[in-house]
Amino acid sequence: MVSITHNPIDTAAVLASVKDADCGANVLFVGTTRRMTGKRETTRLEYECYEEMARAKMMSLVDAARDRWPIVKTSIVHRVGVVEIGEASIAVAVSAAHRSASFDAASWLLERLKQEVPVWKREVWADGQEEWIHPQGEAAPVTKDDSDRDSTKATP
Amino acid sequence: MMKRVLLFAAAKESVGQDSITVELPDTATVADLRKQLVSEYPVIRDLVARSFIAVDQQFASNDVLIADAKEIALIPPVSGG
């Protein structure tokens, strides 16, 4: 299950969605809006996405994770719009027979999502400043053939 | 040919629109589109240099021809999660 929602994420439902009788290892990651970044205070985050592409990218990441690990069920839910302090912006759940696959796959999915799924956050700081976050650093993998397993680097 | 480019996040905010339309020769590539965007909208010059171009919802390298593209988007560095 992959979805993008404007509503609060029901994290228990995300975890329940990967439950499977053949799985003994269920991992749920929940990313929430953090108040402090160093000494700077955040008031809230606002997310926006390129919805069709974001959904397609998340689905292709799930497919790629399935090729890498013997995972059984996977759910990714990303919230967009305003996400207040302590509220969840992302939930990733993975089930597998054993814990190494579910831990590793969940971690990998989240890292890849943060690099290549077209979702952006706007940080609203307590000091009154607001800014879109566009990280410097390594470029997302770009593929001509839509295979996320290829890691040909495109030039920004 | 006229091509519409979807804008998001800081690009949308800087330009003040959620899409822009640029005129390009039929043989234009992603690289040509980047040059045209920067030329017409210098306010996003630095961001374009750090962004990807998505053609029909796939990240596209600079040599890709865009004549057949149905949907083009400027994808600034992402910050989801």
Side-chain angles (χ1 to χ4, degrees):
Chain A
M1 177 181 82
V2 157
S3 74
I4 293 169
T5 179
H6 282 81
N7 301 316
I9 298 175
D10 181 347
T11 55
V14 177
L15 179 58
S17 72
V18 301
K19 192 175 172 187
D20 188 281
D22 294 325
C23 292
N26 306 273
V27 165
L28 171 67
F29 173 86
V30 178
T32 53
T33 299
R34 184 182 56 241
R35 188 190 308 276
M36 301 304 295
T37 299
K39 290 182 177 171
R40 210 166 177 203
E41 183 177 351
T42 295
T43 298
R44 65 175 183 277
L45 297 177
E46 300 171 1
Y47 286 86
E48 80 168 29
C49 71
Y50 178 13
E51 186 159 349
E52 300 80 4
M53 184 174 173
R55 193 177 286 116
K57 278 277 160 204
M58 291 195 291
M59 289 193 290
S60 71
L61 288 180
V62 168
D63 287 343
R66 286 183 183 288
D67 286 348
R68 287 170 172 249
W69 291 280
I71 54 178
V72 176
K73 290 183 179 168
T74 304
S75 286
I76 305 176
V77 180
H78 205 305
R79 185 175 175 186
V80 292
V82 173
V83 182
E84 305 283 359
I85 302 293
E87 292 186 348
S89 54
I90 178 93
V92 175
V94 180
S95 62
H98 304 287
R99 66 185 180 281
S100 63
S102 40
F103 271 128
D104 291 353
S107 174
W108 182 88
L109 281 167
L110 191 77
E111 296 306 318
R112 293 295 292 261
L113 179 144
K114 282 174 158 296
Q115 288 186 355
E116 63 189 80
V117 173
V119 179
W120 300 272
K121 74 177 163 195
R122 181 181 172 80
E123 188 103 37
V124 179
W125 300 98
D127 61 14
Q129 288 198 310
E130 302 184 9
E131 60 185 333
W132 284 105
I133 305 300
H134 293 305
Q136 303 280 355
E138 195 170 347
V142 172
T143 57
K144 285 180 186 174
D145 62 358
D146 192 32
S147 160
D148 282 298
R149 281 137 277 184
D150 281 353
S151 55
T152 323
K153 297 284 179 186
T155 49
Chain B
M1 61 183 177
M2 301 298 285
K3 285 291 180 188
R4 183 166 163 255
V5 180
L6 304 178
L7 302 178
F8 296 95
K12 179 166 78 175
E13 187 170 275
S14 295
V15 172
Q17 297 170 212
D18 60 10
S19 72
I20 51 186
T21 302
V22 292
E23 182 161 17
L24 291 160
D26 291 349
T27 55
T29 63
V30 165
D32 299 323
L33 171 65
R34 288 175 181 279
K35 284 184 201 138
Q36 194 64 23
L37 287 175
V38 169
S39 156
E40 292 188 35
Y41 299 92
V43 67
I44 52 172
R45 182 185 57 212
D46 292 347
L47 196 56
V48 169
R50 298 202 291 127
S51 296
F52 288 99
I53 301 290
V55 173
D56 295 334
Q57 302 173 13
Q58 310 297 334
F59 291 121
S61 52
N62 279 332
D63 57 353
V64 168
L65 295 168
I66 59 171
D68 294 333
K70 293 185 185 68
E71 187 169 282
I72 300 173
L74 180 69
I75 310 288
V78 302
S79 52

